[in-house]
Structures are given as C-alpha cells and as structure tokens.
Amino acid sequence: MVDITIRGAGIFGLSVAWACVKRGARIQVIDPYGPAAGSSGGIVGALAPHVPEKWNTKKAFQLDSLLMAKDFWSDIEHAGGGASGYARNGRLQPVHDENALDLARKRAETASNVWQDNAQWHVVRATGAAWEPISTTGWLIQDTLSALIHPRKACDALVRALAAKGVQVTADGADRGHVLWATGVAGLEALNKGHHRPVGSGEKGQAALLDHNAAGHAQLFAGGVHIIPHLDGTVAVGSTSERAYDRAAETDDQLHAVIAAARDAVPSLKDARVIQRWAGLRPRSRSRAPMLGPWPERPGHFIANGGFKIGFGMAPKIADVMADLLLEGRDRIPDGFRVEDSF
C-alpha cells in the first residue's frame, strides 16, 4: 500500500486525497487550520468555461474537468452522504451591442467545433423571465457547459467521503511517503522566498450571499458579476479581484458595488436581503494556471496550487492527474501547468 501525505485541506488537497484513497493508497491529510479554511471556504462556486476561441491546453484541460464533474461529485456524495451543491444548469449572459452579438454568434460556431456534442453555446432571445439578466439588445448568450457548486458544502462532502474511507483531516502529523503540498496562498508565499521573482501571490475576492430562492435555474454573468442560484435557496454574488488590499478578510465598499451590480442586472434581486458577506485570498500563480507536479528542489515532494478562480472547476481532473503522478509516476500534466512554468 502506497503512503501519501497531503498538506492542505482545500479543494485541491481534498480532491487529490479522494482520488488516491479510491485507488487503495493510505492517505493522511494535514491542515492546521482545518478543511476549507482558505479560499475554498468561499460562497460563489461558478464552474464556468473559458470562451471557446483560441483553443489551448488549459481550455482543453478545463473542458475535460467540467465534463468529469457530475460523476466526480455524485460519487463523493454517495460515499459520504453530504451534499456538494453541484448542478449543471448552464449560464446566461446579456449581449450589450451589435459587435458583442456578432462575436457571440462566432463563438457559437467555435464552441460547436471544440465542445462537440458535450455542450452547446447559443445566442437566444431574452424572454423577460424574472430570472434573466437585463439585455439592452434583447439577446442572451446561453451555454450548457457551465455548472455551479457550493464551495463550503463541496469541501464538507469531500471530508465526509474521506471519513467513510477512514481518512480524517488532522492538524498535525509527520510525513509518510510522497508529500503533496496543496497549501494555497501560504504555499505560494513560501515558494516566493526561494526564487528571484514571485511564483505567485494571493488575490483578494469579496462576495455576498442573498436571501433569494432561484434554485434549479441557470447561473448568470452580468455587470461583471457572477450570480449563482445555489440549490439551498440562496444566491451568491461575486466577486472582486483585488491585487492590492489592506485587510484580506474584511469586506468593504467594493462588495457594495458588486451587490448593486447584481441587483441592477437582475431586478428580482432588488429587495433580496444580504445574509452573509465573505472576503478572502485566492492563490494566483504567476502564470495564472494551476501549478502541478514535482517540487524541483525537494525529491519526493509535489505541489498542487494556484487554483485562483477556477480551482473547483479544475479539481476533478487535477485530482485524477495528480493521483497518476503520485501513485504510478505517470506524468499527464499539460504544458503551462507545470510547477517550473511559474518559476
């Protein structure tokens, strides 16, 4: 039986732990702050694809992962009995002018080529339904690839599934076997100390949870804001992207602007009560892509970091690829995702 130590109980660490324990590895997950203590404890959960043109390895990897997500989360929910909040209900975006309409139609053709029969990108007429963003042109972009998840509940579902396999998240412990570092912003800061230029950094995001039930509807992207109708009858709106900030865990007027933008875009949210505010740091690698693979200066140690805004969407395939590497020595990490690409 192979021993694996995973340091970090965010979405990457927990997902890799799950993929490894399913293959029979002996796993320990160590995090002094507990599960989902960092950005994985956020509230938005937009699993949205990159635009389909200029296709590259990053977009192809993300497509594979988004298509794996349904079975990945269903398996976890069945194993541990916890709900992840996952649903693939698509996304709607307003089209603001004729140039944007022309571009959206071209992207529909491109999506047909690269997504094939797995999902569709359409330009559709707005219907005036309550759960639609306002569109000045009367047109909307609809894609069927986008999904949503509740980040905190997803991490809790992973913790429950691991516990069902006899794996607990502990605050401390000695390394056994290969060691995977999935420690988010703290991990990036540690890597920065050993290199002449920054490997990555934390980027602040702010989001809010509104008391409005639109469960079962598509997520919306309008006014520069993700609007996520969670299955529990709340709506998350977010988020900011702040590379300069004073207090990482505090919300401020920038979140007020996000809430206002969501209400302007979707009038049915106008009177929705704010029931929670969140702010935190997301791990952003210098390359903006996830950092995966062996730690060059430390034999037997590996890194999975840099999830930034797409960590939950990338997690199913990252878990599979990193399990291949840790357990079998099989390297399927695409160019642009390797740790050394950010050095």
Side-chain angles (χ1 to χ4, degrees):
M1 183 178 291
V2 178
D3 281 312
I4 303 291
T5 298
I6 294 179
R7 293 196 172 271
I11 184 58
F12 281 3
L14 293 171
S15 295
V16 176
W18 174 247
C20 288
V21 80
K22 282 184 62 183
R23 300 192 195 185
R26 184 163 50 198
I27 303 296
Q28 60 172 346
V29 181
I30 300 171
D31 194 316
Y33 305 104
S39 61
S40 295
I43 56 178
V44 179
L47 310 185
H50 293 289
V51 293
E53 74 264 21
K54 298 181 180 178
W55 201 244
N56 56 33
T57 54
K58 180 178 179 180
K59 293 181 179 182
F61 190 101
Q62 186 198 44
L63 173 62
D64 289 345
S65 193
L66 291 173
L67 295 175
M68 293 167 64
K70 181 179 179 181
D71 289 342
F72 180 80
W73 290 109
S74 177
D75 191 28
I76 289 163
E77 291 177 347
H78 178 75
S84 67
Y86 173 83
R88 184 176 157 185
N89 293 331
R91 177 179 58 172
L92 294 172
Q93 306 174 69
V95 179
H96 296 299
D97 55 41
E98 289 301 317
N99 288 335
L101 182 59
D102 181 60
L103 178 59
R105 286 172 170 154
K106 289 177 180 176
R107 284 176 172 168
E109 297 177 11
T110 307
S112 179
N113 292 331
V114 295
W115 295 354
Q116 299 183 8
D117 294 330
N118 296 302
Q120 292 78 44
W121 173 293
H122 300 299
V123 178
V124 299
R125 282 283 188 185
T127 66
W131 191 253
E132 273 186 2
I134 293 173
S135 173
T136 54
T137 63
W139 293 97
L140 300 170
I141 299 166
Q142 178 188 53
D143 84 74
T144 64
L145 181 56
S146 293
L148 58 87
I149 200 162
H150 194 298
R152 292 178 188 172
K153 292 182 179 181
C155 288
D156 180 67
L158 275 162
V159 169
R160 290 171 179 266
L162 288 167
K165 296 285 189 180
V167 179
Q168 303 292 330
V169 178
T170 61
D172 199 7
D175 292 341
R176 295 197 311 255
H178 290 326
V179 182
L180 175 72
W181 294 83
T183 47
V185 173
L188 294 179
E189 291 174 346
L191 288 169
N192 287 340
K193 294 177 181 178
H195 294 86
H196 66 281
R197 61 178 179 176
V199 172
S201 61
E203 184 166 305
K204 182 177 178 179
Q206 300 184 51
L209 206 60
L210 307 183
D211 185 13
H212 182 85
N213 191 347
H217 289 285
Q219 64 180 276
L220 312 177
F221 184 73
V225 177
H226 293 282
I227 304 168
I228 309 300
H230 284 308
L231 301 183
D232 64 359
T234 61
V235 171
V237 298
S239 61
T240 62
S241 292
E242 305 168 49
R243 302 191 71 175
Y245 50 86
D246 293 323
R247 295 178 177 84
E250 294 185 14
T251 60
D252 55 34
D253 288 345
Q254 294 190 66
L255 180 55
H256 298 162
V258 166
I259 296 169
R263 286 175 168 159
D264 287 344
V266 187
S268 60
L269 295 177
K270 180 180 178 182
D271 297 319
R273 179 173 59 93
V274 177
I275 55 179
Q276 189 174 358
R277 292 173 171 85
W278 176 87
L281 296 183
R282 298 166 296 193
R284 181 185 184 275
S285 72
R286 190 174 61 82
S287 70
R288 295 180 63 92
M291 296 171 55
L292 308 175
W295 191 332
E297 297 93 349
R298 300 183 66 177
H301 291 248
F302 300 78
I303 293 171
N305 206 326
F308 194 33
K309 299 178 181 181
I310 56 176
F312 279 83
M314 291 287 206
K317 186 159 186 178
I318 284 175
D320 195 44
V321 166
M322 291 306 297
D324 281 348
L325 184 61
L326 291 165
L327 302 181
E328 303 173 19
R330 187 155 58 100
D331 187 344
R332 295 195 293 126
I333 300 169
D335 292 340
F337 282 48
R338 297 182 177 280
V339 172
E340 54 268 29
D341 293 333
S342 292
F343 283 2

